[in-house]
Each structure stands twice: as structure tokens, then as C-alpha cells.
Amino acid sequence: MRAFILLISLFTFLIHPTIAQSLKLWYKQPARNWNEALPIGNGRLGVMVWGNVAEEQLQLNESTLWSGGPVNSNPNPEAPTYLPQIRKALTEENYELATSLTQKMQGLYTESYEPLGDLVIRQPFTGQPTNYYRDLNITEATSTTRFTIDGVTYTRQLFVSAPDQVIVVRLMADKPGQLNFTASTRSKLRYRNAVVDNREISLNGKAPAHTDPNYFNENAQPVVYDDSSQCRGMRFALRVRVLSNDGVSVADTAGLRISNATNVVLLLSAATSFNGFDKCPDKDGKNEKLLVENYLNKAASKSYNALYQEHLTDYHSFFNRVSLRLTNGAAKPSNQAASESLPTDERLMQYTNGANDPTLESLYYQFGRYLLISSSRPGGTPANLQGIWNPHVRPPWSSNFTININTQMNYWPAEMSNLSELHRPLFELIKDVASTGQATAKNFYGASGWVAHHNTDIWGLSNPVGNMGKGSPLWANWAMGGAWLCQHLFDHYRFTGDQKFLRETAYPLMKGAAQFCSDWLIADKDGYLVTAPSTTPENVFIAPDGKKGEVSVATTMDISIIRDLFTNVIEASMALNNDPDFRRQLIEKRSKLYPFRIGKKGNLQEWYKDFDDVDPLHRHVSHLFALHPGRQIAPLTTPDLAAAARKTLELRGDDGTGWSKAWKINFWARLNDGNHAYKLLRELLKISGVEGTQYAKAGGTYPNLFCAHPPFQIDGNFGGISGMTEMLLQSHLSDIWLLAALPDQWKAGQVKGLRARGGFEIVSLDWQEGKINKVVIRSMLGGNCRIRVPNRLKAANGVSLKPAQGNNPNPFYGNATLPATGPSTTQVYDFPTQPNKTYTLVMN
């Protein structure tokens, strides 16, 4: 039987070779709106390619281009005077008063991520295009537009080079001398165009000193440019240079004019005067013009082919680490082949209408990894709400770093999908936020350590937002943003084993957040430690008097995050063998935290008391943090709480915005219910044309595979592929669980390159009919490898494989005990490993 299954698996692989799956998004028409344009980027420079014929628009971004300047660390000196009053009101269960008082403890809104401008390419065609084609090749990180007019085929190819920090645009005609166009620049911000020489033009501008959030409309002038202090509003520069041109080039303030050419290459680069979160971007800013000139000079010394090859080498060093092939277990049916031959928008529509298309799911997975590579690079800024792609001066939610779920979701797949280095920009942001957060903790709460709230920006803002009392406390005053961010620090250590990072970066930041939480906790009448005031983003309860309540005590999310943080700091202290007194303090306080409660409906209670929800179907499911991304609730370790979490999800329902559905995929995967997770993945991949912010219309996926909140938010893309990874591999508990939540629809497949905690890489995992045929595991750090699998395996190369018993001695698993119960169909094995050795296990 085993030989037969292996034969079928080999046959399936030959029919479905990974390299044969087309990792392209392609279309038969130009983009009709921004959500059909195609994103390319290098972590700093971003482009949205529309693919228009006569007037192409390349919408440009630079990741450090934000409004504003360094934060005001004490915008509301009266804030701490309200804290005792709030706690008194909560003791008296006067939730309405507590909410109104909490609103008085607000500071300023974040600044906004701004658009750089556009490169507009106008070609004077008289005929109509035929054979139109537009694509995004995520195997090479390139975008191509091609069409034929009057017998001439025109091609535009674009990529954004990380090694050379330039955007490269190549325009070609297949007949000599037929390429004529004008390339000009423009911006929605204040700017001025200039001519450098006959082969180069520039655009220089200034970002606003302040931009109000798009949802805040109480100021007559929501965008302010003038700032006499020269401390708010950064400068920016964009330059376009002809690298090669076999025609004639002329430049004036209207742009570059190219005539009678066949092959032209343009180089674009941009920079801002941003010089750090605590520096005035104008008077203390960097020389943005010199930065751009240096980028262009370096790139211009190379040929197009050299630029392209260096781009590919860099990009492939990240992208090629992981491959994924999913099938239903049978030979490729004709309807699957037909689906793969369709343009992406038509294919997505067919999938929405019920077609089975596992290769589209694989494409979506790799597209998510592509987006992270393109929007988050070491040394740069983290991916914001829209990655690095934004066309609006006042973008939705300021396109900031929303840290009550969204920014964290952006980085859920980083470690698992073998893109660990791309996590680093988030760590740098945490450092900045912790710096301002120390002042916020002291000035708003009289507490030690550091704190951050609902959202932040490139300036590291950490105060409760709301413009001094105009925001809703249910999101603005939630004080656990910093504590949640710290989970990423410890998870990076658990995946990589980087002791230097843990000692010098992660532990000091985690300890600071824990110090704040330790001060923030107070004892309730029963002696439990609770948070007060406390909210659960972004839900509202019905108080006993029938009124709506936003602020209460010890929401489940608050306590779950603090328990997670304390646990991580305790384990980090043990790993470093330091800080024993603080460790003992946290162990004691953790033992007194308000416990999980199961409500009257069998659900996990969201608030201190078993209140009813104003909106039982609310998109946030914040109180399930302990299930995911936390590790306090799991079917294997806490079956009763896991059942309550399941009931919570059943009551909440499957509807929601894009990122909400993505989070629910992760929840159901952690509950080991692959079929329900897959149901939500299909709903996440439903095509959407919604472009407003109407929450009532369920989120999905735009034709360019961007996630529809609506509007576009990139977190749904990252959360979706995180959930897909959790379906295939989980390592948050005591072992590495392979195929932990495999849906029936993924009967067969192969994945290469996923990472697990403890420094393990799944070099290759092949399965058929839900059973593992072969798995190859590389151990980077050595130590015990404990795996949980759906069928019996045996070692293929003399590995000492034995049934697991007792505690997992691997320190990255917290010396976790093997659960007493587990799925009867799974097998759990231990085998010792050595650093940088590879181990192969096959079906027994």
C-alpha cells in the first residue's frame, strides 16, 4: 500500500511540478482603478503599475515620506488626574462615567503616510491596441505591459532594485524608431519640477507639517504645510534619468521627451529628509537631493542587464526559500488547467463562484510572501496598513501602524515563511515607540516602563490618540499595543535562537513593557490582578442598566496579553540566566492574574463580567488572543477553554472584513479544524469590487489580489498566508505539528522551506491522502526535535527516532510537557539533532 501511495505521489509531482505552476498575476486590460493596479517595491520605493496604453501612470511611494515631525511627549498634562476617578467609577460599576472620564486621558492623533507622486508616460498613438497583456511576475518581482498598435508591439518592463535603490523602467518597440513618449512627474503634495539636463528631470517637494486622519473632519484645514519651527514637514526629492536611449532625448519642465527610439531605459529614485523619529525632518534632516543623486549615479554606472541580474539575485535570496504545491490528490483535471489559463481577475471570479483551484491558493500564498519582501526590508521602515503603497494625502486610517492587531498581523508570516530578516524593521519601530512610550507611561499614568496604545507612526507616537478627547475610548485608550508588539521580539528568538538579539534588544524592550504592565495592574475585591480602565478592541458591551459600555475592568484580551508578556519575559530571563528577582516578581504576579471565564453561552467571556455584546457579530475577536497569536489556549492543553473559544467563533460567525476573516483562519487552524479554516480562506479569496469603507459589505480580495477590508489593507494578505501556514505547520506548543489543520481539499501537496520554532526548517514535506510520505528537517541549532504527525514514520538515515515521552527537553519549547491527550490519529516522536544537520523521515 505504501509503495502504491508513493508511486501516486511521484506521478502527481511529475504532472504538477512546482516550477510549472505559473506565479503570475495577469490581465487582458489596463487597471480600471487603483485596486487593479499592480504593486512592485523594494521595501523603500513602491510603485503601482496601471498598465494604461496612451497615458501610463506609475504611482510612486517612498516609505519614509510621512507628514509631521517628532512627537509631543506630554500633550495632556491633566491626564493622570482622571485615573483615580475612572477606577472609582468602575468600582461603582458606573461604566458610562468611566467611559467619559477615560476620554479625557487622550493625546494627539498620529501623522499620515503620504504619496510621493506619479511618473506619467504619454505615448501619442492614433490606433487602437490589440493583443493587450499586463502581468506581475512574483517569481522575478517584475511587471510587464505589452500591446500592439498599427503593427508595432510595445513593451514596458519594470522592477524595483533593492541593491541599487532605484526603479527601473524599460520601454521597447519591436520595430526600429517607433518609440515616442513623454515622461513627466507630478505630486499631490507641494512640489516643483526642474530640469537637471537633457537626460534628467527632478521633482522636489515638501510634506505637510500635519495631516488629520481621514475620519477626523472637525478642522477647517485638515492638511497643514506651514511650520515656522522647521521641525514638522519633511522634504522629498524624485529624479528620473535616462540610462540608455537609442533615440533623441530632450528635457524641460514638462518632462523628458524621447523620440525615434527603439529601446529606452529610465532610472527613478527618491529620498526624503527623514533623519530618525526624534530629529526635526526639516532643519535637522538628511540631504535628500544628495541621497537621490548618489543612488542614481551608482545605478547608472551599470548596464540594464547588470541591474536586472543583481535585482534577481537579491529577490531570489528571499523568495526562493519556500515553495508550495497544493492539489486535491488526483491528476490535474481539465478544469484546473482551464483555470490556470485564465486571467487573474476571471480566475478569481471563477473561484468565487465555486471552482476548485488549489494552484490559485498557492499563488495567493506566494503573493503574500512577495508583498512582505517588497514592503519590509532590513534597515527600512515596517510595512504599514497599506504596506508601502498609498495614493492618498489623507489615506484610510492615516495608513499608519495600527497596533491593536493590524501591524502585528503584517508580521505573523515573517518567521514561519522563512523571511525572518524582514521582521527587523518592526523591531526598530518598537525601539522608537518604547522611547516615546517611557514618557507616555510616566506622563499619562505615573508608571514605569513603557506603553503604547492603538496606533503609531514613523515618529513613534505612543499616547492614547483621539485629539484630546474626541476619540472613542474603546480603541483610542486601549493600552496594550506595546505589550503585544513584544510578542514578536520573543518569537523571533524562539525561531532563530539568536541570544545576542535576545540579550541586547528583545529582553530590555520586553522588560520595559512588563514593568509598565506590573505597575498598571491593581487588585480587585477578590485579590485578582486586573487592568482598569480596560477595553477590548473594538467591541462594546451592554451594561446591567441597559446602556452601552466601552470601558470596564480586566478584559480578556488585556489579561491574555499581559499573561503572554510575563511568560515570555520569564522564559527569556531563564534563557539568559539573568534578572532572577524580576523573574520571581512576574511569576508571582502572573499567578494572580484574573483567570479566563466561560460565559453563560459556553463562550469565552470577553469582559470581566458576562456582559452581552452590542454587536454579537463584531469583526474583532480580540478576546481569543490566547488562542492566536498567543499560546495559552489550545485543544491539546486546555480543551475546555478551546471548546469555549470554538463556541465564541460560532457565535461571532464567519462574516467580517478582510483582515477579520484572515484572523479567523488562524483561529480555526489553531483549533485544528482545517475544513473550517479552508472555508474562510475561500471567503477571503472572494473577488471584491468594494472601494469604500462600508463594513457591512464583507471583505474579500480585489482583482490585484490585495485584501479588501474594505478599503485595501495589506494585513489581510499577511494574515491569510499566516493562516495557511498554520494549517500546514504549528510549533507554538510543545512540538512541531505537521499538517496540523489539513483540510480535505488539500489531500496532496508539497511544501519546502517553512520554519518552526527551535531553529528547525522543513526542507521538504510531501503528503498524499492526508498522510506524510516524506519529510526532511534541518536543525540549525541542534537539540531535541519533537514532531507530531498524522501517520507512522520511520527514520531513513539511521536517526534515533522514538515515541515522545514526558517534557520536551528543547529549551525553545519551554520544557513543555507532552499533553496527556491528543488526536488519536497523530503520532509524536522525538529524535536528537545536531546543528546544521538534515534528517529524513518516511512513511512506515
Side-chain angles (χ1 to χ4, degrees):
M1 180 64 182
R2 174 177 170 272
F4 175 74
I5 292 177
L6 285 172
L7 180 63
I8 292 295
S9 180
L10 176 62
F11 177 69
T12 303
F13 175 72
L14 291 173
I15 294 178
H16 297 280
T18 302
I19 59 173
Q21 292 187 5
S22 175
L23 293 179
K24 289 183 179 181
L25 287 65
W26 72 277
Y27 308 84
K28 295 191 293 186
Q29 71 284 328
R32 290 166 292 193
N33 56 54
W34 195 84
N35 296 314
E36 295 186 7
L38 297 174
I40 56 175
N42 67 356
R44 188 179 71 86
L45 300 171
V47 186
M48 292 295 285
V49 184
W50 286 63
N52 293 324
V53 174
E55 187 172 307
E56 172 63 304
Q57 177 183 353
L58 304 179
Q59 188 261 309
L60 309 173
N61 286 101
E62 206 275 0
S63 68
T64 64
L65 183 55
W66 290 66
S67 63
V71 303
N72 177 349
S73 63
N74 193 17
N76 187 355
E78 300 300 315
T81 65
Y82 295 104
L83 185 56
Q85 300 175 55
I86 296 166
R87 287 175 170 170
K88 182 176 184 293
L90 290 170
T91 300
E92 297 170 352
E93 299 187 18
N94 189 338
Y95 301 108
E96 185 175 28
L97 176 59
T99 297
S100 64
L101 289 170
T102 301
Q103 201 164 18
K104 296 178 184 296
M105 293 188 70
Q106 293 176 357
L108 303 173
Y109 282 120
T110 68
E111 292 298 338
S112 296
Y113 179 55
E114 301 289 4
L116 174 68
D118 301 320
L119 177 70
V120 180
I121 300 174
R122 296 180 175 88
Q123 294 182 257
F125 298 123
T126 56
Q128 294 300 310
T130 59
N131 301 320
Y132 183 92
Y133 174 86
R134 174 172 66 104
D135 79 16
L136 174 65
N137 183 337
I138 63 173
T139 303
E140 299 181 355
T142 60
S143 178
T144 299
T145 302
R146 185 171 59 246
F147 50 86
T148 301
I149 294 181
D150 295 333
V152 180
T153 297
Y154 298 91
T155 303
R156 305 182 194 127
Q157 295 178 334
L158 289 90
F159 63 90
V160 187
S161 168
D164 290 293
Q165 290 298 312
V166 291
I167 302 163
V168 182
V169 183
R170 187 180 191 184
L171 301 98
M172 297 174 287
D174 70 345
K175 292 184 179 178
Q178 295 300 305
L179 196 57
N180 300 282
F181 66 90
T182 299
S184 60
T185 56
R186 65 191 182 193
S187 177
K188 294 180 180 178
L189 306 180
R190 286 186 177 178
Y191 76 99
R192 183 179 63 184
N193 283 322
V195 175
V196 179
D197 56 40
N198 273 340
R199 298 172 64 86
E200 187 170 342
I201 57 174
S202 68
L203 179 152
N204 300 294
K206 188 85 180 298
H210 174 70
T211 301
D212 279 341
N214 70 310
Y215 51 84
F216 185 72
N217 296 300
E218 296 189 17
N219 291 329
Q221 191 175 359
V223 180
V224 178
Y225 280 93
D226 298 327
D227 174 55
S228 58
S229 71
Q230 292 186 295
C231 201
R232 304 183 64 80
M234 65 180 67
R235 304 181 304 275
F236 63 93
L238 165 68
R239 289 171 73 165
V240 185
R241 181 183 297 183
V242 179
L243 174 66
S244 61
N245 173 24
D246 56 3
V248 178
S249 173
V250 177
D252 56 31
T253 53
L256 288 165
R257 289 186 171 85
I258 307 295
S259 56
N260 303 322
T262 307
N263 192 320
V264 177
V265 177
L266 303 178
L267 299 181
L268 290 76
S269 197
T272 76
S273 61
F274 178 72
N275 195 24
F277 78 102
D278 55 352
K279 301 288 195 308
C280 294
D282 192 353
K283 66 181 180 181
D284 299 322
K286 291 182 178 180
N287 186 333
E288 73 284 0
K289 296 178 181 178
L290 181 61
L291 287 172
V292 174
E293 184 176 1
N294 288 341
Y295 291 141
L296 286 177
N297 288 342
K298 176 187 172 186
S301 68
K302 304 175 183 180
S303 68
Y304 172 85
N305 287 339
L307 291 168
Y308 182 61
Q309 287 303 317
E310 290 179 21
H311 158 72
L312 285 183
T313 299
D314 167 77
Y315 176 72
H316 286 163
S317 71
F318 295 104
F319 185 80
N320 289 356
R321 296 174 184 178
V322 170
S323 66
L324 175 64
R325 173 178 53 84
L326 300 169
T327 79
N328 61 10
K332 182 183 289 187
S334 58
N335 61 350
Q336 176 63 55
S339 294
E340 292 181 27
S341 68
L342 291 174
T344 303
D345 50 347
E346 295 179 27
R347 188 177 182 184
L348 197 58
M349 180 62 76
Q350 187 180 76
Y351 185 87
T352 300
N353 292 332
N356 180 42
D357 193 348
T359 58
L360 176 63
E361 293 156 3
S362 299
L363 173 65
Y364 181 78
Y365 184 85
Q366 292 287 38
F367 178 67
R369 295 183 68 249
Y370 163 83
L371 289 177
L372 192 58
I373 298 168
S374 302
S375 63
S376 181
R377 290 295 191 100
T381 58
N384 62 48
L385 273 177
Q386 297 186 191
I388 55 171
W389 300 280
N390 163 50
H392 304 292
V393 175
R394 298 178 69 196
W397 300 284
S398 302
S399 193
N400 62 20
F401 305 111
T402 307
I403 55 176
N404 73 349
I405 172 63
N406 313 92
T407 299
Q408 290 90 337
M409 184 179 284
N410 284 359
Y411 287 90
W412 286 349
E415 302 292 340
M416 297 186 296
S417 69
N418 212 336
L419 297 172
S420 181
E421 303 96 317
L422 308 189
H423 221 158
R424 293 177 190 167
L426 180 63
F427 305 152
E428 295 303 311
L429 176 67
I430 295 173
K431 291 180 185 178
D432 296 347
V433 175
S435 179
T436 71
Q438 285 184 309
T440 299
K442 178 182 178 181
N443 295 333
F444 277 76
Y445 305 110
S448 62
W450 68 276
V451 64
H453 295 78
H454 172 269
N455 54 53
T456 186
D457 55 20
I458 199 169
W459 310 108
L461 182 136
S462 56
N463 67 215
V465 297
N467 203 45
M468 310 297 289
K470 297 179 180 178
S472 170
L474 71 91
W475 49 267
N477 291 87
W478 178 77
M480 291 292 111
W484 186 349
L485 284 171
C486 285
Q487 185 187 68
H488 287 259
L489 299 167
F490 193 59
D491 233 21
H492 179 70
Y493 167 71
R494 291 187 71 199
F495 274 93
T496 65
D498 188 339
Q499 281 263 334
K500 184 175 186 291
F501 169 80
L502 181 65
R503 181 174 56 256
E504 297 179 4
T505 299
Y507 187 78
L509 291 169
M510 292 162 60
K511 180 177 179 179
Q515 286 171 323
F516 169 79
C517 290
S518 185
D519 286 356
W520 182 233
L521 290 165
I522 59 174
D524 72 359
K525 60 183 176 59
D526 298 317
Y528 289 118
L529 293 178
V530 299
T531 53
S534 181
T535 62
T536 177
E538 299 176 14
N539 206 2
V540 181
F541 61 89
I542 301 174
D545 60 5
K547 296 180 179 179
K548 295 179 181 179
E550 298 181 10
V551 177
S552 65
V553 175
T555 60
T556 300
M557 187 190 211
D558 271 13
I559 302 302
S560 297
I561 290 175
I562 293 174
R563 186 179 285 113
D564 182 83
L565 174 64
F566 283 5
T567 299
N568 292 342
V569 175
I570 290 165
E571 292 184 10
S573 171
M574 294 172 64
L576 295 171
N577 193 26
N578 73 350
D579 232 353
D581 292 340
F582 189 63
R583 185 196 319 158
R584 283 191 291 270
Q585 176 188 334
L586 293 188
I587 290 172
E588 180 182 359
K589 289 205 169 189
R590 183 179 62 176
S591 70
K592 296 179 180 179
L593 290 173
Y594 190 75
F596 294 110
R597 303 286 191 188
I598 296 177
K600 57 182 176 289
K601 298 176 183 177
N603 57 311
L604 190 70
Q605 200 166 292
E606 186 164 6
W607 289 277
Y608 184 69
K609 296 191 175 184
D610 196 10
F611 298 129
D612 287 328
D613 306 75
V614 170
D615 178 8
L617 304 179
H618 198 275
R619 65 192 181 279
H620 281 262
V621 198
S622 301
H623 52 311
L624 295 194
F625 172 93
L627 175 65
H628 182 277
R631 50 182 167 133
Q632 303 151 32
I633 295 177
L636 285 178
T637 55
T638 58
D640 291 344
L641 292 175
R646 175 182 287 269
K647 185 63 175 179
T648 296
L649 289 170
E650 291 170 353
L651 292 171
R652 261 314 193 256
D654 290 339
D655 289 340
T657 55
W659 66 261
S660 174
K661 288 181 179 178
W663 199 359
K664 290 175 183 177
I665 295 171
N666 289 270
F667 287 143
W668 284 107
R670 286 281 178 95
L671 290 171
N672 308 119
D673 190 335
N675 286 336
H676 205 129
Y678 180 79
K679 174 181 179 291
L680 280 161
L681 175 64
R682 290 198 65 101
E683 292 187 11
L684 184 64
L685 275 167
K686 285 183 177 179
I687 194 166
S688 174
V690 180
E691 293 183 46
T693 54
Q694 302 169 34
Y695 293 167
K697 296 184 178 181
T701 296
Y702 291 118
N704 63 0
L705 296 192
F706 270 167
C707 182
H709 177 292
F712 162 57
Q713 281 187 195
I714 204 167
D715 43 28
N717 289 96
F718 296 137
I721 71 166
S722 167
M724 294 176 72
T725 310
E726 294 275 354
M727 293 159 76
L728 298 174
L729 167 67
Q730 295 179 17
S731 63
H732 60 291
L733 297 176
S734 63
D735 51 46
I736 299 170
W737 192 342
L738 302 177
L739 307 185
L742 191 72
D744 293 342
Q745 290 81 357
W746 295 350
K747 293 180 180 179
Q750 180 190 74
V751 64
K752 295 181 178 181
L754 298 182
R755 288 287 180 95
R757 292 166 181 85
F760 295 103
E761 179 176 332
I762 309 305
V763 176
S764 179
L765 171 63
D766 295 85
W767 72 94
Q768 182 76 26
E769 295 298 328
K771 305 294 183 184
I772 294 174
N773 292 325
K774 180 180 179 181
V775 57
V776 181
I777 300 175
R778 178 182 296 118
S779 173
M780 272 73 75
L781 304 174
N784 184 65
C785 182
R786 176 168 290 180
I787 60 169
R788 183 180 295 271
V789 293
N791 54 282
R792 294 185 181 276
L793 298 178
K794 67 179 181 181
N797 53 358
V799 176
S800 178
L801 189 68
K802 60 182 181 181
Q805 292 182 341
N807 293 353
N808 185 348
N810 191 311
F812 294 99
Y813 288 85
N815 201 29
T817 302
L818 180 70
T821 60
S824 59
T825 56
T826 63
Q827 309 291 320
V828 187
Y829 297 103
D830 280 345
F831 61 93
T833 71
Q834 296 179 1
N836 302 312
K837 299 291 185 181
T838 298
Y839 302 85
T840 302
L841 308 174
V842 297
M843 182 183 290
N844 190 354

